Amino acid sequence: MTPPLDVLVVGAGPTGLALAAQLRAHAARFRIVDRSLDRVRESRALGIQPRTLEALAGFGVTDRLVDLGNPAMRLRLHLARRTTTVRLFDIGVTDTPYPFLLFLSQAETESVLGEHLSARGVTVERGTELVRAERRGPGVVCRLRGRDGAEEVVTARHVVGCDGAHSTVRAQAGIGFEGYAYPRTYVLADLDVGGLEPGAVHSYMTRGGVLIFFPLGSPAPWRMLAVRPSDAPDGEVTLPLLRRIADRYGADGSALRDPVWMTDFRLHNRGAGHYRSGPFFLAGDAAHIHSPAGAQGMNTGIQDALNLGWKLALVCRGAAPEELLETYGSERLPVGHAVRRFTDRAFVIGTSPHPVLRFARERLVPRLAPLAMRAKAPRRRIFRTVSELGIHYRGSPLSTTATRPPRHGPRAGDRLPDLPHGLQARIAAPGWHLLLTGPSHLWPDERLAPLLAGRADLLTVHRLGDQGPWPDVAQGLVRPDGHLGYVARGADLAGLRAYVAHWLNGTRR
Ligand SMILES: Cc1cc2nc3c(=O)[nH]c(=O)nc-3n(C[C@H](O)[C@H](O)[C@H](O)COP(=O)(O)OP(=O)(O)OC[C@H]3O[C@@H](n4cnc5c(N)ncnc54)[C@H](O)[C@@H]3O)c2cc1C
């Protein structure tokens, strides 16, 4: 009899592909299936946030994404009588190699992740649908239907639903998906716009709402996104309709041409009540959906996957305790809630018909935006949120700060910043990384040997001297997803030994 899989990944959108990449990197036994015969060819999500670029760098795919994409550095605010330029990322963010929002179509992002997987021998089983999943014993019996209608029964210790907003896994696990739909409809198109200055985001803000053109590149130079005006006719989205809508917002509708994708949609704000039920896990759109304001959707999904993949792999290999899996929901559910809250606020401000907000859009924002852009501290705070660099797990059971923490620098639960530059690249290999700062003679091999015993392929030691992120003699244990699990000042290893004994079992398989 075939042994059960460690993990069945259901869905090969950006979330499932990222999960598969991490499961592969951490030597899990898994399969990834998707019911559609082909990957997404539409642009869909088009903004990749700095934290996602950092997190994917470990797979060696980020340089390719950056080469293909378009880092927009400017926002052009088109007002009734003038146009103002706002520089977006001149705020002195130095702790990431990617201090910009990268525009790239979801189709290309998925293609790069797919190439990465196939180069490592992972096949995405397309045309294979999960039709039923039943708990049996500690695992799940799954019924898969192939493109020819033939059914196959597979057992897996864990099933991860990366299967989008209408998730089958979520339904089979009996997890609710509460929330609401926004009342208005939105139009979206990938097309060319003559005369629009390249390399910038263009925003037209009126009482009625917002029209935005994003620089896309492929499959068309621009993405247009707008609230459908309430008096615009219902029905199919056509070029003449887009032109009329653009005119309504004060853009030049006649400049719109060569659309390659036009659609309209209603938006929802919904979230799963929990991200785990026994052997079932949810990630990406299966766990949370919201408005595209701030380009968070795909990014949050990819980061869910990268929080979960290593945990599943290490638990299945016997290299970590079962309890590690509980930290997935406790770390990611609050992130999902925060993203839903933030995108809801941004969206309501940008589109609400409420008279105060309409007035603010038309009169206040145009006057205040250039002034607000001079205030670097609040902009840095906003950038931390939108870029997802500010996401931390300080309250997680997996985050332990010793009684003597370093005086400055990142804390347990924070992502490891790229300070000094190149530090993140040093910890890119799969597994845990122990960073030791201060004179090397404090960290002789014989002191570290008990930590490494039986864990040599799980834990890599880096003696950083004075080139670490803390000014003191310090120890920092970095998790496989780039967040700090344990941080302490000084050379006493007792706390670190206890942490490692709890969370890193050593290699069993
Ligand atoms: C029109 C449109 C425009 C968008 N624009 C933006 C944007 O501008 N910015 C942004 O951040 N986000 C945007 N999004 C959302 C973004 O596309 C999603 O957040 C992202 O795709 C989520 O990725 P995912 O992998 O979690 O789910 P999905 O991409 O939905 O992938 C789920 C996969 O699961 C497969 N699947 C489903 N059920 C089963 C089953 N039973 N068995 C096997 N396979 C199954 C599906 O075939 C699919 O491939 C847009 C979405 C749409 C539709």
Side-chain angles (χ1 to χ4, degrees):
M1 199 177 128
T2 333
L5 295 170
D6 291 338
V7 184
L8 177 69
V9 181
V10 184
T15 305
L17 294 170
L19 180 64
Q22 215 191 34
L23 290 169
R24 170 70 179 75
H26 289 88
R29 283 190 296 242
F30 70 99
R31 285 171 63 180
I32 172 167
V33 298
D34 196 298
R35 73 175 163 208
S36 66
L37 289 172
D38 195 7
R39 65 178 175 78
V40 155
R41 299 282 164 182
E42 301 145 349
S43 62
R44 295 201 191 174
L46 77 168
I48 310 186
Q49 297 291 353
R51 180 62 195 141
T52 308
L53 292 170
E54 286 186 355
L56 293 176
F59 303 130
V61 298
T62 296
D63 288 348
R64 176 92 183 113
L65 294 171
V66 172
D67 277 353
L68 289 170
N70 186 350
M73 307 301 272
R74 297 184 311 286
L75 170 66
R76 299 275 283 161
L77 280 173
H78 297 266
L79 313 172
R81 287 188 202 85
R82 67 198 160 94
T83 298
T84 313
T85 298
V86 173
R87 300 199 74 75
L88 289 174
F89 303 115
D90 58 334
I91 44 177
V93 174
T94 55
D95 69 349
T96 176
Y98 314 105
F100 49 80
L101 177 61
L102 185 76
F103 287 100
L104 182 67
S105 83
Q106 184 172 328
E108 291 194 80
T109 303
E110 290 190 20
S111 155
V112 169
L113 288 170
E115 282 164 17
H116 167 83
L117 288 174
S118 70
R120 276 147 195 83
V122 176
T123 304
V124 175
E125 298 175 47
R126 296 205 171 272
T128 306
E129 179 176 14
L130 174 82
V131 285
R132 205 175 159 75
E134 235 178 283
R135 284 172 217 223
R136 200 163 302 159
V140 188
V141 177
C142 305
R143 194 167 286 278
L144 302 178
R145 187 176 297 145
R147 59 188 84 180
D148 56 359
E151 291 200 350
E152 176 193 5
V153 174
V154 170
T155 52
R157 288 178 63 182
H158 305 283
V159 174
V160 187
C162 304
D163 49 351
H166 304 284
S167 170
T168 307
V169 174
R170 196 180 60 228
Q172 298 285 303
I175 300 175
F177 200 49
E178 300 302 323
Y180 48 90
Y182 293 100
R184 301 186 67 180
T185 322
Y186 300 83
V187 293
L188 178 158
D190 291 348
L191 74 184
D192 198 1
V193 187
L196 212 50
E197 180 194 311
V201 176
H202 294 261
S203 163
Y204 298 77
M205 211 173 265
T206 67
R207 286 170 74 88
V210 186
L211 160 68
I212 306 180
F213 291 107
F214 299 96
L216 187 57
S218 168
W222 296 97
R223 152 75 62 86
M224 171 178 168
L225 180 69
V227 178
R228 190 177 190 133
S230 41
D231 55 357
D234 283 339
E236 203 188 335
V237 180
T238 58
L239 185 58
L241 175 69
L242 293 174
R243 285 180 168 154
R244 275 208 300 282
I245 291 174
D247 286 337
R248 286 282 304 275
Y249 283 98
D252 175 11
S254 67
L256 272 51
R257 57 181 184 234
D258 304 332
V260 295
W261 184 42
M262 296 178 283
T263 186
D264 61 353
F265 55 94
R266 286 277 299 279
L267 292 170
H268 296 253
N269 186 307
R270 296 183 193 280
H274 32 271
Y275 285 11
R276 178 186 187 186
S277 173
F280 295 104
F281 293 81
L282 300 175
D285 275 19
H288 42 73
I289 53 169
H290 42 78
S291 92
Q296 306 286 290
M298 179 183 75
N299 292 277
T300 309
I302 289 176
Q303 289 174 49
D304 288 342
L306 300 185
N307 183 291
L308 178 60
W310 65 275
K311 294 176 179 173
L312 285 169
L314 295 191
V315 168
C316 289
R317 279 167 52 191
E322 187 71 30
E323 173 192 353
L324 183 62
L325 298 179
E326 279 306 305
T327 66
Y328 169 62
S330 63
E331 292 181 347
R332 293 306 296 178
L333 191 83
V335 172
H337 278 318
V339 168
R340 286 177 57 204
R341 236 184 356 259
F342 162 75
T343 54
D344 183 66
R345 276 188 206 142
F347 195 65
V348 168
I349 291 168
T351 62
S352 166
H354 190 282
V356 173
L357 291 172
R358 289 177 63 157
F359 176 77
R361 273 201 301 272
E362 194 179 44
R363 306 275 167 177
L364 296 183
V365 173
R367 286 200 173 84
L368 296 181
L371 288 176
M373 284 296 165
R374 288 192 204 133
K376 290 204 171 166
R379 280 178 63 205
R380 238 178 260 136
R381 272 200 299 280
I382 294 171
F383 178 74
R384 290 263 149 215
T385 303
V386 177
S387 64
E388 305 201 337
L389 292 172
I391 290 173
H392 64 78
Y393 309 127
R394 287 183 188 167
S396 167
L398 202 48
S399 304
T400 303
T401 299
T403 35
R404 288 181 73 221
R407 273 180 279 259
H408 305 286
R411 294 156 56 176
D414 292 356
R415 97 188 207 287
L416 182 74
D418 196 43
L419 279 180
H421 189 58
L423 184 60
Q424 290 183 349
R426 289 183 73 165
I427 57 134
W432 293 78
H433 294 266
L434 176 58
L435 309 183
L436 301 169
T437 61
S440 307
H441 68 80
L442 291 174
W443 314 113
D445 286 347
E446 56 275 18
R447 287 195 67 211
L448 302 176
L451 288 170
L452 292 171
R455 303 185 181 95
D457 67 339
L458 268 186
L459 180 58
T460 312
V461 177
H462 306 264
R463 294 175 179 86
L464 300 176
D466 58 3
Q467 292 300 299
W470 303 282
D472 317 283
V473 170
Q475 313 145 35
L477 187 57
V478 188
R479 307 167 9 166
D481 59 1
H483 283 258
L484 282 152
Y486 177 84
V487 174
R489 174 156 49 107
D492 181 353
L493 292 173
L496 181 62
R497 272 199 303 272
Y499 185 93
V500 165
H502 190 110
W503 292 110
L504 285 82
N505 288 352
T507 319
R508 300 273 191 282
R509 192 173 86 198

